[in-house]
Amino acid sequence: MSSIELDHVSKLYANGAYGVRDVDLSIGEGEFVIFLGPSGCGKSTTLRMIAGLEGITSGDLRIGGRSVNNVAPRDRNIAVVFQSYALYPHMSVRDNMGFGLKMRGVARPLIEEKIREAAGLLGLTPYLDRKPAALSGGQRQRVALGRAIVRDPVAFLLDEPLSNLDAQLRAEMRLELVKLHRRLGRTIVHVTHDQVEAMTMGDRICIMREGRMIQVGKPLEVYADPVDTFVARFLATPPMNLLPARVEGRGDGLVVVGDGFTVEVPQMHRAAYAGLAGREVIFGLRPEDLHEAPQPGFSPIEVSVVAMEALGVENILVGQIGSGEAGGKATAKDAAKPLEISARLSRHFTAPVGARVPLYLDPRPMHLFDPETTRAFPRPSLRLVTN
Ligand SMILES: Nc1ncnc2c1ncn2[C@@H]1O[C@H](COP(=O)(O)OP(=O)(O)OP(=O)(O)O)[C@@H](O)[C@H]1O
Ligand SMILES: [Mg+2]
């Protein structure tokens, strides 16, 4: 049994600061969970509490259904792999991997067998006699993982283990970890800053902010239905466009009106948003939902090109809309540049800086947020939208 449950868990540090506040999370046996959030939001603290390296101030922490609040780290049988792999430089790969078992008095033949298995799994067999200095970053990272695997823990806690690697190695290790999870079937909690890792590796993402877990869900669910403007902007690059606007009734329908744009609320969202008529809101739309060609139901918007970023696979247009006075009156706390928008367009679309170009906005995946609380106004999920 390797489920991990955090039941109203908080960590108050001696200096009076909260590292983690009232976290409620239930991680299933064999689940792969991602912790994502800005620096200082409490990701490592949460991992350290699960591992027992940090005591909890209040709440209950259960592993396999058993409360472990007073159980020492070595008796939790959980492996932690940190960003700095901390290998012993004077020991071979083999000895680095076997050291923990040796310290526990495990018999040499069994240690050898575990090392052989883990090395095979991680592609480290040819390197067993090398010292860490003679390995690449990715190979060292795999040794650190191997050291955890030989212990046969009930769960792996990975604290940004890939952040020291270059982009290509990261991508390779990302796949390796996913494969490893599939083969071992163990619970994994993986902390990352990287959105691609967050979106692609885990069964669920837990988004943290200021010690709290503000949204937990499947990656595409969180992407499609962020609970607030923070999650809306955090999970993608370029982030969701957030624009101050106002909802108005028009005939039978509803429109969202902002500086330089008017969007008709699609039928599918009318019932959910009907009560917002007359209210100030923050209109949210992802850059991929702005298009260069019109389609029935799309709303036109004119933008003045501020920058065009050609990424090869696509072009990102950054444009200014509206009267050009930066900042509207109903500015979202999280909306840094409310009147600049980004659009992910085809790699064939180009326009010079300063040009005014028409774009077309697909209103179906639109979001409306409360400017006071920054919370999303509930509406039917985007996942129900079909083309
Ligand atoms: N020993 C400590 N004493 C006091 N405050 C601490 C201590 N350790 C961490 N903190 C604070 O607790 C908060 C959470 O820290 P934590 O290390 O969990 O963040 P994190 O999400 O892992 O950040 P990063 O992405 O930078 O690694 C931070 O504000 C940090 O300053
Ligand atoms: Mg950390």
Side-chain angles (χ1 to χ4, degrees), residues 29-335:
E29 183 170 1
E31 196 179 6
F32 195 144
V33 160
I34 304 282
F35 285 0
L36 179 71
S39 184
C41 70
K43 304 180 295 291
S44 296
T45 302
T46 308
L47 278 203
R48 293 171 60 80
M49 288 191 296
I50 296 172
L53 304 172
E54 197 81 71
I56 70 174
T57 311
S58 59
D60 194 23
L61 185 71
R62 292 183 291 274
I63 297 175
R66 179 174 71 120
S67 178
V68 293
N69 297 352
N70 300 310
V71 174
R74 66 174 176 281
D75 298 323
R76 297 189 186 193
N77 196 17
I78 283 184
V80 191
V81 179
F82 294 104
Q83 169 181 7
S84 55
Y85 350 105
L87 302 177
Y88 299 109
H90 57 287
M91 286 186 197
S92 66
V93 167
R94 173 180 283 108
D95 290 343
N96 263 287
M97 283 168 67
F99 187 69
L101 296 182
K102 192 173 156 197
M103 286 293 103
R104 284 164 182 238
V106 176
R108 193 72 216 177
L110 184 57
I111 297 180
E112 283 297 335
E113 190 191 322
K114 296 253 179 209
I115 292 173
R116 208 174 326 116
E117 263 176 34
L121 207 58
L122 295 166
L124 288 172
T125 310
Y127 309 106
L128 281 173
D129 293 316
R130 286 204 198 167
K131 299 268 168 62
L135 298 176
S136 73
Q139 290 162 343
R140 282 180 216 172
Q141 190 63 69
R142 277 182 275 158
V143 176
L145 269 172
R147 200 167 46 180
I149 290 171
V150 295
R151 287 179 43 197
D152 199 16
V154 296
F156 294 89
L157 309 182
L158 312 176
D159 199 348
E160 308 200 44
L162 310 186
S163 57
N164 281 337
L165 307 179
D166 66 44
Q168 196 161 354
L169 260 181
R170 267 183 102 109
E172 282 171 25
M173 283 302 293
R174 195 163 74 214
L175 286 175
E176 290 300 321
L177 274 178
V178 170
K179 280 195 236 159
L180 196 67
H181 175 249
R182 220 173 287 145
R183 267 184 260 173
L184 298 175
R186 291 293 145 84
T187 309
I188 296 184
V189 183
H190 180 204
V191 170
T192 182
H193 272 108
D194 185 296
Q195 292 156 1
V196 178
E197 286 177 24
M199 285 303 293
T200 59
M201 292 176 81
D203 302 308
R204 282 190 300 162
I205 300 188
C206 309
I207 307 232
M208 295 192 71
R209 185 189 192 188
E210 293 170 3
R212 296 184 191 275
M213 218 151 262
I214 53 176
Q215 188 164 11
V216 176
K218 292 186 181 147
L220 289 175
E221 285 174 5
V222 177
Y223 188 82
D225 296 314
V227 293
D228 63 15
T229 55
F230 173 80
V231 179
R233 288 188 66 81
F234 198 75
L235 203 53
T237 311
M240 187 184 287
N241 296 301
L242 296 174
L243 303 166
R246 190 180 161 81
V247 180
E248 292 173 8
R250 189 163 293 179
D252 292 345
L254 274 182
V255 288
V256 179
V257 184
D259 189 4
F261 67 97
T262 300
V263 179
E264 192 166 336
V265 175
Q267 175 66 38
M268 61 187 307
H269 298 321
R270 260 182 225 161
Y273 288 152
L276 299 179
R279 277 195 69 157
E280 303 285 336
V281 294
I282 296 164
F283 172 75
L285 195 73
R286 292 209 180 269
E288 61 269 31
D289 297 317
L290 284 140
H291 300 267
E292 62 244 45
Q295 271 193 45
F298 284 14
S299 300
I301 181 171
E302 200 182 49
V303 309
S304 157
V305 179
V306 173
M308 281 294 291
E309 295 173 342
L311 300 180
V313 63
E314 63 186 2
N315 287 350
I316 309 273
L317 180 155
V318 180
Q320 201 169 53
I321 61 163
S323 54
E325 298 159 21
K329 43 184 175 22
T331 314
K333 277 192 215 117
D334 289 318

